[in-house]
Amino acid sequence: ELNNHWKRLVPALVFLLSQPSSGNSNASPFEIVAHRARIHLFPREGFLRSSDTLSLRSVSGDRGTLHLGLSSQYAVEKVITGGTEIQFKRTREGISVDASKFKRETEITVEFSGKTALNPELSRMTPERAILHDSEFLVRGGKVLESLALTIVVPQDWQAIGRGILQTTRKVGDSTEFVWVAKYPIPRVGWICAGPYRVASSFSDSIQFSLYLFQEDSSDAQRLLTLAKNVTEFYSKQFASYRFGSFTIVEVDDWLGGPAVLAAAIPSTILVKQVTLNTEDDFNKLDWILPHEIAHQWWSQTVYIKEEDVAFLSEGLCEYATRLYEEAVGRANPRADLKSHPLLHSLIVRARQGKEVPLNRRADLRALRTHYLKAAYAHHMLRQVVGDSALETIYRKFTTRYSLKDAGMKEFQSIAEEVSHKSLGWFFDQWITGTGLPRFRLYNVRAERAEGKWLVHGRVRSVGYDSYTAPLVIAVYAQGGVEKATVWIGHDSTNTVRNDLPFEIRIQSKPERVLLDPEGDVLKLQRMPERLSDLREPASGLMIVGTKRLADRLLQFARRDSAELERSGWSIRIKPDTVTTLADYRSERVFLYGTPSMNSVVAQLGRRFPVNCDDQKCLWNGKVYADSSLALTQIIENPFQEGSLLCWLVPLGDNAQPILRPLSASAVVARRGEILESWTWDAKDKELEVELETTTEE
């Protein structure tokens, strides 16, 4: 049976896929400021007919030729203005008309029809349901729309979801007509959705909250609506009032946006994949990703974030807004825990290998999943620099001052410095435009009995040639409690660089250990245990399959796992153990299938793993696992390639089935897919943690 977990457990952090409704590259004397469109869908035929009335506004004194974008698969039937058909020229990119006699503000209607394009990541229409990107049903040529009205005609038993408020619904022959109106500026239309949905709704503070679910799914609609209302209310108080009159959550099929996407935010609407409603992985459940997606209604649906700053000011800020919400309500969201985040180890490895990309660079974030985490961490570190109250004020001022305007790092930094009364150029140079991570070290740490208490003193230094500035908390732990102190390493208030600083902390009880940055408030190089969750980030992988006993079954396991990994963006090769070379062992990710008697490579490399296994049993911490129905999966750093991972899948019997899932553990024992036990390797970082030996007897 195929293991579908990798499709469901794909490590995609939420990605804002929707593109602006503009997209016309040709210079034009007019821009579209509003659409009033009627879209008739014929799902069985994969056909649509659209009549799009555009409100145009002159942006140039030379009104010459008007260029409008329209997908090439459609036949343009009419172009009308002032009640009269006009001539037009059809091009591959759209249509062109003579606009020399147009008024400064005018309306033009374009009628077109045809088969919808087969875009595997943006649009599909089947007899079961439809999801269409605005490039399929609207003419393009605007930047920000001032209003929108969509009349969507679908089969009689279907629902249709557009933008804004659903104003009317009526039966028209064997069809149903839905009229959606948005009487406010929106940066993009995004998608319309249609199908036989189940609908739940409620009101809160004059906002209508609606949830559209596939009929076959049975999620708790009222719980999700309550969560959406609570998050929206919190953000409205923290940042700015929610500016739309409705909020809609729509379930969509898992193909949308490719495997690296879980959801997409468009004005007043969140599209969530079916996988988020039925996954067994907490990290990707709708409950945990919804706060991030709702935050997009502020960034980039209220403040229009510049493309090069999306990582920090859209995705990163939405990730950190999630943390602020979870802190306020006391929920333990696995996405909001920076210190134990499943992608932290991958981010550290990327930094060690010099593969980082600055946060202020245009990039497809679907291929840079650690960027979400680094950007969220940057917001958290800014909080450590300016303080909680100042950070809240910064977010509120940024949102209100640039509401319905373009904004980026320059504007955000200006407000951050204005509010905090601090020069923060060093911070943004260090974390946003720069790459790499700092490395810190405790040393010369000792404890002495002094005046009835204990005195712990030592030094902390920044290791390496690069200078980093950060507030570092040093914590001394004793049986009776903990005492902390903060030192600023790097540039001080006089701009003097101090990369080696002393510290001194007094504590009542006998101290046992000292820990640098105990809460993980500063993003830094550190030793971390390898976990199966490190496989959330796609990479190139090699699966080495045993050719001795049970060769066909091992190959079946590898093919099953490779298919799931490839669906989530991996590039996988499968090789028999008889033809592998040392170069193969140096692949980014190496997976070994079989026991020593099944796989000759395992016979060589198996002893490098913490859990010792032979053909019949595994041994860990004195406990023997010998049930033939069990299977073990464990992961370590690849000894042949720094930063690479080596994973071993061990069936302890002929019918055992090892599992490969991105779990937050270094090793798991499973029976028929059910996790029975799991462990995480001990990975104490000696540079950041010191066990104390006191120099004076108590």
Side-chain angles (χ1 to χ4, degrees), residues 94-106:
I95 60 174
S96 300
V97 299
D98 180 4
S100 59
K101 296 181 180 180
F102 284 5
K103 297 178 181 179
R104 183 178 181 276
E105 294 186 356
T106 191

Side-chain angles (χ1 to χ4, degrees), residues 398-459:
F398 178 66
T399 306
T400 55
R401 187 175 297 178
Y402 292 100
S403 177
L404 308 183
K405 299 176 183 176
D406 294 336
M409 283 305 311
K410 179 181 178 181
E411 292 77 14
F412 183 83
Q413 180 178 338
S414 176
I415 289 178
E417 292 180 335
E418 170 191 324
V419 171
S420 66
H421 305 291
K422 295 181 178 181
S423 176
L424 296 172
W426 64 269
F427 179 89
F428 294 99
D429 288 344
Q430 181 171 292
W431 295 113
I432 309 304
T433 63
T435 59
L437 299 180
R439 177 184 168 197
F440 302 115
R441 179 188 173 198
L442 290 169
Y443 72 104
N444 285 353
V445 180
R446 57 194 184 278
E448 299 173 341
R449 187 78 164 157
E451 300 177 358
K453 295 186 178 182
W454 289 89
L455 178 65
V456 179
H457 48 94
R459 300 188 73 86

Side-chain angles (χ1 to χ4, degrees), residues 367-378:
L368 287 171
R369 294 167 187 175
T370 56
H371 246 37
Y372 291 80
L373 174 59
K374 183 178 181 182
Y377 235 122

Side-chain angles (χ1 to χ4, degrees), residues 89-357:
K89 179 181 179 181
R90 189 68 165 103
T91 66
R92 183 175 180 80
E93 293 77 21
I95 60 174
S96 300
V97 299
D98 180 4
S100 59
K101 296 181 180 180
F102 284 5
K103 297 178 181 179
R104 183 178 181 276
E105 294 186 356
T106 191
E107 282 192 348
I108 182 172
T109 299
V110 181
E111 297 182 5
F112 58 91
S113 61
K115 292 274 190 177
T116 55
L118 298 176
N119 188 317
E121 293 191 357
L122 286 181
S123 298
R124 290 186 191 179
M125 184 159 59
T126 69
E128 287 73 38
R129 48 184 162 253
I131 176 168
L132 298 177
H133 191 257
D134 56 28
S135 59
E136 295 280 353
F137 57 86
L138 293 178
V139 174
R140 302 184 303 278
K143 183 178 181 183
V144 174
L145 299 175
E146 296 177 358
S147 64
L148 176 70
L150 298 177
T151 299
I152 309 171
V153 184
V154 295
Q156 192 173 83
D157 57 344
W158 280 27
Q159 300 285 333
I161 306 102
R163 297 293 73 71
I165 303 292
L166 177 59
Q167 288 204 332
T168 62
T169 302
R170 70 186 184 100
K171 303 295 182 182
V172 181
D174 61 352
S175 301
T176 304
E177 178 183 278
F178 296 83
V179 179
W180 289 81
V181 176
K183 297 180 179 179
Y184 38 70
I186 57 176
R188 56 184 59 83
V189 177
W191 289 270
I192 59 172
C193 304
Y197 283 98
R198 292 188 298 111
V199 187
S201 62
S202 62
F203 281 86
S204 177
D205 296 331
S206 74
I207 301 172
Q208 181 178 0
F209 290 82
S210 301
L211 176 63
Y212 289 78
L213 293 176
F214 296 160
Q215 292 183 333
E216 63 266 28
D217 286 332
S218 57
S219 295
D220 186 343
Q222 289 305 316
R223 177 179 55 79
L224 292 172
L225 287 172
T226 299
L227 174 60
K229 289 190 289 187
N230 291 342
V231 174
T232 302
E233 179 181 339
F234 175 78
Y235 291 163
S236 292
K237 293 177 180 178
Q238 290 288 111
F239 311 129
S241 295
Y242 181 72
R243 74 181 182 93
F244 305 110
S246 65
F247 180 82
T248 306
I249 303 171
V250 185
E251 183 179 2
V252 296
D253 291 301
D254 291 341
W255 55 260
L256 180 68
V261 176
L262 289 176
I266 48 183
S268 75
T269 304
I270 306 296
L271 308 182
V272 295
K273 286 187 173 181
Q274 186 177 31
V275 62
T276 67
L277 295 165
N278 53 36
T279 179
E280 299 173 11
D281 180 14
D282 282 343
F283 189 69
N284 288 337
K285 285 183 177 178
L286 180 56
D287 297 68
W288 304 124
I289 69 173
L290 195 56
H292 173 112
E293 284 301 304
I294 294 175
H296 276 306
Q297 300 304 317
W298 282 262
W299 317 286
S300 298
Q301 311 303 340
T302 296
V303 180
Y304 307 147
I305 303 301
K306 296 176 181 177
E307 187 177 349
E308 62 271 19
D309 298 315
V310 163
F312 180 66
L313 290 178
S314 183
E315 300 301 344
L317 185 44
C318 290
E319 280 289 285
Y320 200 64
T322 297
R323 181 184 175 97
L324 297 177
Y325 171 76
E326 306 299 2
E327 283 182 4
V329 300
R331 288 204 317 172
N333 186 336
R335 289 182 172 273
D337 186 354
L338 301 176
K339 181 181 178 182
S340 302
H341 198 283
L343 291 175
L344 181 55
H345 184 253
S346 295
L347 174 57
I348 291 171
V349 169
R350 183 182 291 274
R352 289 188 189 277
Q353 295 176 337
K355 294 181 179 180
E356 267 200 289
V357 177

Side-chain angles (χ1 to χ4, degrees), residues 14-32:
V14 183
F15 176 70
L16 183 63
L17 180 68
S18 44
Q19 298 296 320
S21 294
S22 55
N24 178 33
S25 59
N26 297 318
S28 179
F30 289 85
E31 66 175 354
I32 302 171

